[in-house]
């Protein structure tokens, strides 16, 4: 009986750790894609904004051009009137009539001057607007280039990882079948709450592999025994086991063997 339970817990932990490994691999795939999809979206938004601005500017230019053409037409009208008035002046019967027509001519002349002034003003506005359009267009050109580049990158990354992702998903389905349903529930909860997505960890160098809090030696022994499910007192993650500290293969087992193993001299190996 006792041995049967032992095996079961060990197997449960093993299944859970396997699932964790697959899920971590899937997390990594998503992380690699992580920023790119968002960057692509941001660029698309920016380009849309720039295009809206550009079309607004172009509408403004069109309206300026319409105003200019209106002023030019009214100038032509004034011109015609002046010609007509001058003809009339040839046939006046008295000075008073001549003076009255002169005033009309003068008035039309003034109208033409005003129109010229307005046309100049609007021409200036068109010039400025065209500068703005050129600047928006060059930004737009750059952004479109960026977008194209990023879209290509994203496509490559997705293509590269798609196969891995699908394989991992299949493995996950298989691994999931071996996981105890109740343990899976807490596994999911733990993963939701954990920033690094780790719900099942090993004890590494005497510390929890999830939150790095130290795990007392007696507890480590219990974890190694795998007679029951033991969770981290600090973060609640499930301990799947205690990772063996593998000493460097060479220049070991000589005079300073014990000291070398006890001291954390291993970082070079990582
Ligand atoms: Zn912990």
């Amino acid at each position: 009986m006792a041995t049967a339970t032992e095996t079961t817990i060990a197997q449960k932990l093993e299944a859970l750790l396997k699932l964790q490994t697959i899920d971590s691999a899937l997390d990594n795939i998503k992380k690699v894609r992580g920023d790119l999809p968002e960057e692509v979206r941001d660029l698309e938004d920016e380009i849309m904004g720039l295009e809206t601005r550009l079309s607004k500017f172009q509408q403004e230019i069109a309206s300026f051009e319409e105003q200019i053409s209106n002023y030019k037409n009214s100038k032509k009208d004034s011109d015609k009137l002046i010609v007509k008035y001058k003809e009339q002046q040839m046939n006046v019967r008295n000075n008073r009539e001549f003076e009255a027509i002169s005033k009309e001519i003068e008035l039309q002349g003034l109208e033409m001057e005003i129109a010229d002034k307005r046309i100049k003003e609007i021409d200036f506005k068109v010039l400025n607007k065209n500068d703005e359009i050129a600047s928006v267009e060059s930004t737009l050109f750059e952004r479109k280039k960026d977008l194209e580049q990023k879209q290509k990158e994203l496509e490559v990354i997705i293509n590269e990882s798609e196969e891995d992702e699908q394989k991992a998903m299949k493995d996950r389905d298989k691994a999931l079948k071996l996981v105890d349903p109740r343990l899976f529930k807490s596994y999911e909860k733990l993963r939701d709450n954990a920033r690094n997505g780790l719900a099942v960890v090993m004890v590494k160098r005497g510390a929890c592999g999830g939150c790095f809090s130290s795990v007392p030696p007696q507890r480590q022994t219990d974890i190694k025994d795998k007679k029951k499910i033991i969770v981290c007192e600090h973060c609640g993650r499930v301990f799947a086991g205690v990772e063996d500290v593998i000493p460097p293969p060479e220049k070991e087992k000589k005079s300073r063997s014990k000291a070398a193993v006890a001291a954390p001299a291993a970082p070079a190996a990582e």
Side-chain angles (χ1 to χ4, degrees):
M1 262 286 276
T3 38
T5 322
E6 270 176 43
T7 337
T8 311
I9 293 288
Q11 278 176 343
K12 276 181 182 175
L13 287 172
E14 195 190 327
L16 209 56
L17 187 63
K18 176 120 200 239
L19 181 67
Q20 176 68 72
T21 309
I22 294 166
D23 277 341
S24 292
L26 282 166
D27 288 347
N28 272 337
I29 288 173
K30 283 193 192 109
K31 217 199 272 171
V32 169
R33 289 178 194 167
D35 292 345
L36 261 182
E38 202 180 314
E39 282 172 28
V40 165
R41 265 198 306 278
D42 285 351
L43 273 172
E44 282 169 346
D45 285 350
E46 197 186 346
I47 286 170
M48 223 163 69
L50 287 170
E51 273 169 347
T52 308
R53 228 160 106 200
L54 208 56
S55 86
K56 211 189 106 213
F57 285 169
Q58 272 149 357
Q59 276 168 20
E60 282 173 26
I61 294 261
S63 133
F64 288 151
E65 274 162 0
E66 200 189 326
Q67 289 172 39
I68 287 175
S69 120
N70 285 343
Y71 280 120
K72 281 185 176 164
N73 282 336
S74 86
K75 265 181 75 186
K76 269 183 207 158
D77 290 344
S78 296
D79 217 23
K80 275 183 207 158
L81 277 174
I82 288 170
V83 171
K84 199 181 103 190
Y85 290 150
K86 281 188 175 161
E87 273 169 23
Q88 280 176 3
Q89 256 181 343
M90 308 286 204
N91 303 312
V92 291
R93 281 162 299 182
N94 53 46
N95 234 12
R96 214 158 50 89
E97 268 183 39
F98 187 89
E99 286 300 320
I101 292 171
S102 285
K103 274 216 170 109
E104 286 300 325
I105 291 172
E106 200 184 326
L107 206 69
Q108 289 308 319
L110 271 174
E111 291 281 349
M112 285 172 82
E113 271 175 42
I114 289 167
D116 274 333
K117 204 179 149 218
R118 294 280 175 267
I119 288 171
K120 255 186 210 165
E121 283 167 5
I122 298 166
D123 271 341
F124 187 66
K125 282 186 191 170
V126 170
L127 222 64
N128 282 339
K129 201 51 78 178
N130 275 330
D131 279 352
E132 280 184 84
I133 285 176
S135 138
V136 171
E137 271 175 344
S138 99
T139 311
L140 193 58
F141 179 76
E142 290 300 321
R143 296 298 178 273
K144 279 185 173 169
K145 233 168 49 182
D146 286 352
L147 178 64
E148 205 183 324
Q149 174 75 20
K150 291 235 188 294
Q151 273 171 333
K152 269 187 200 157
E153 277 174 42
L154 184 61
E155 208 177 304
V156 168
I157 287 173
I158 286 178
N159 282 344
E160 271 175 358
S161 53
E162 209 167 31
E163 220 175 290
D164 293 344
E165 190 181 26
Q166 275 168 8
K167 192 186 165 294
M169 296 290 272
K170 263 187 205 163
D171 291 347
R172 190 181 193 272
D173 287 343
K174 262 190 244 166
L176 200 54
K177 280 178 193 149
L178 301 173
V179 172
D180 178 272
R182 268 174 55 196
L183 269 178
F184 180 63
K185 264 196 182 167
S186 31
Y187 170 84
E188 277 191 309
K189 230 186 240 169
L190 280 163
R191 249 173 75 75
D192 281 348
N193 293 329
R195 227 186 230 181
N196 53 10
L198 290 176
V200 184
V201 293
M202 300 290 283
V203 175
K204 290 180 185 175
R205 295 166 183 278
C208 165
C211 70
F212 308 111
S213 304
S214 67
V215 181
Q218 180 52 48
R219 217 166 154 72
Q220 289 188 43
T221 311
D222 293 343
I223 294 162
K224 270 187 193 164
D225 283 349
K226 297 187 182 173
K227 281 183 185 153
K228 54 179 181 175
I229 305 281
I230 296 173
V231 302
C232 173
E233 286 173 308
H234 297 275
C235 66
R237 288 181 174 93
V238 176
F239 287 126
V242 178
E243 210 173 72
D244 292 324
V245 179
I246 304 159
E250 283 162 43
K251 53 181 179 178
E252 256 304 317
K253 292 206 167 184
K254 279 202 171 173
S255 56
R256 54 188 193 109
S257 65
K258 270 197 178 171
V261 174
E270 279 176 71

